[in-house]
Amino acid sequence: MARISVLMGIYNCAITLPEALDSLFAQTYQDFKIILCDDGSSDSTYAVAKSYADKHDNIVLIKNEKNMGLNYTLNHCLENADTEYCARMDGDDISLPTRFEKEINFLDEHPEFDIVTTPMKHFDENGIYRVGKGGFEPKLTDFPKFSPFCHAPCMVRTKAYQAVGGYTVAENLLREEDYHLWIKMYEKGFRGYTLEEPLYMMRDDRNAAKRRTFKVRKNEAYVKHLAVKMLGLPFYYNFYCIVPLIKGIMPNWLFYLLYKLK
């Protein structure tokens, strides 16, 4: 039996999906299966996924009858995960060759941790324009400030997913399902770490963060409040709840400058 289930919710990514899947089959660690769930795509994403599933016996291909969102879709993937570890991957990104090897070695060697992830290299058609930072274990007091782990490059012990019932499906968690997941896991006593080396390439429009709707900003503020409440932090940490709302009304030039400096 494989040791890793790769959870991939795919939606209208027919053009980029082959590169994403090819990056998994180029991994130096190959003891995994891939669970692909098409979330009601309107392009040829499902057909591309099926062409790979027909060639590789370690791909499980499922689909939703209609578009349900990432949290529901990843839970659908989790229903088919029967391995020790679950890793994430998006259909428009690239995992660098040693990602799985280094993540699973870390979890095998550090039983005190249940989540591991890596920084990401953000890229677009013009190349890499930002690289995240790693080499840290977040503290409880970090949670109201920022989502402590990059979601797409993560690897998590399956028991941690099971202990919190997977992703919470709710309208007020739209685009914040991973942030809420980490809060639930830390509330249960699980811990995580971000490796120092970037091992994941995220295809990311340079202006995507600024285009987040005010509704999504409100959801982020709500999740920050949940972090304070669920993790038993002092009330004044709710101050961080207003930060996403300020970002939502910030001038474009100032937001982009701050985003570049992160």
Side-chain angles (χ1 to χ4, degrees):
M1 180 184 294
R3 294 192 71 201
I4 304 169
S5 292
V6 186
L7 313 178
M8 292 187 67
I10 50 176
Y11 177 70
N12 287 354
C13 58
I15 294 175
T16 59
L17 184 57
E19 187 174 21
L21 291 173
D22 289 345
S23 78
L24 296 182
F25 288 111
Q27 291 292 300
T28 56
Y29 184 92
Q30 285 286 312
D31 192 8
F32 61 80
K33 69 176 186 178
I34 303 169
I35 305 171
L36 291 166
C37 182
D38 179 70
D39 190 22
S41 295
S42 57
D43 67 357
S44 58
T45 293
Y46 185 82
V48 172
K50 190 174 187 309
S51 71
Y52 273 80
D54 289 343
K55 289 187 294 185
H56 299 277
D57 59 9
N58 64 336
I59 292 181
V60 177
L61 178 59
I62 56 179
K63 67 177 182 177
N64 301 331
E65 292 303 315
K66 60 181 181 179
N67 182 253
M68 298 296 294
L70 184 60
N71 42 12
Y72 179 96
T73 301
L74 293 178
N75 281 343
H76 199 175
C77 291
L78 278 168
E79 292 171 3
N80 293 270
D82 56 359
T83 54
E84 183 179 0
Y85 298 114
C86 287
R88 279 280 293 111
M89 177 72 188
D90 283 336
D92 52 359
D93 296 341
I94 299 167
S95 285
L96 297 179
T98 59
R99 176 197 162 191
F100 284 172
E101 177 186 352
K102 291 180 178 179
E103 289 181 337
I104 199 167
N105 284 347
F106 178 86
L107 290 174
D108 282 346
E109 294 168 7
H110 297 87
E112 70 272 24
F113 290 110
D114 307 283
I115 306 158
V116 66
T117 190
T118 87
M120 301 190 294
K121 297 182 178 182
H122 298 252
F123 75 102
D124 61 12
E125 65 278 5
N126 296 313
I128 296 170
Y129 63 90
R130 186 163 71 91
V131 180
K133 297 178 181 179
F136 65 91
E137 176 189 358
K139 306 182 293 291
L140 288 182
T141 52
D142 290 327
F143 277 76
K145 304 173 187 176
F146 56 86
S147 181
F149 302 110
C150 293
H151 186 208
C154 77
M155 186 179 293
V156 181
R157 297 187 196 277
T158 304
K159 67 178 184 181
Y161 269 115
Q162 294 170 340
V164 300
Y167 297 85
T168 301
V169 180
E171 185 70 19
N172 57 4
L173 296 176
L174 179 68
R175 298 289 299 275
E176 303 296 334
E177 60 280 328
D178 56 321
Y179 199 167
H180 187 241
L181 177 73
W182 311 135
I183 294 168
K184 292 196 299 180
M185 287 184 177
Y186 263 64
E187 183 188 31
K188 292 284 189 180
F190 297 108
R191 296 167 57 198
Y193 192 84
T194 296
L195 302 178
E196 187 168 0
E197 182 182 2
L199 296 170
Y200 193 88
M201 302 274 289
M202 180 181 182
R203 196 182 307 269
D204 192 16
D205 179 352
R206 298 182 192 218
N207 298 312
K210 179 56 188 172
R211 289 201 301 269
R212 289 178 69 129
T213 65
F214 195 72
K215 178 180 179 181
V216 173
R217 296 292 182 192
K218 284 173 58 180
N219 289 354
E220 184 182 353
Y222 172 66
V223 173
K224 288 178 181 293
H225 169 68
L226 289 181
V228 176
K229 181 179 179 181
M230 294 169 64
L231 301 178
L233 299 175
F235 181 80
Y236 59 81
Y237 275 92
N238 279 296
F239 166 80
Y240 292 99
C241 299
I242 68 172
V243 175
L245 306 179
I246 293 173
K247 288 180 179 178
I249 60 175
M250 187 179 294
N252 285 0
W253 67 266
L254 179 57
F255 181 90
Y256 184 64
L257 175 63
L258 295 174
Y259 185 68
K260 279 185 67 176
L261 294 174
K262 282 177 66 177

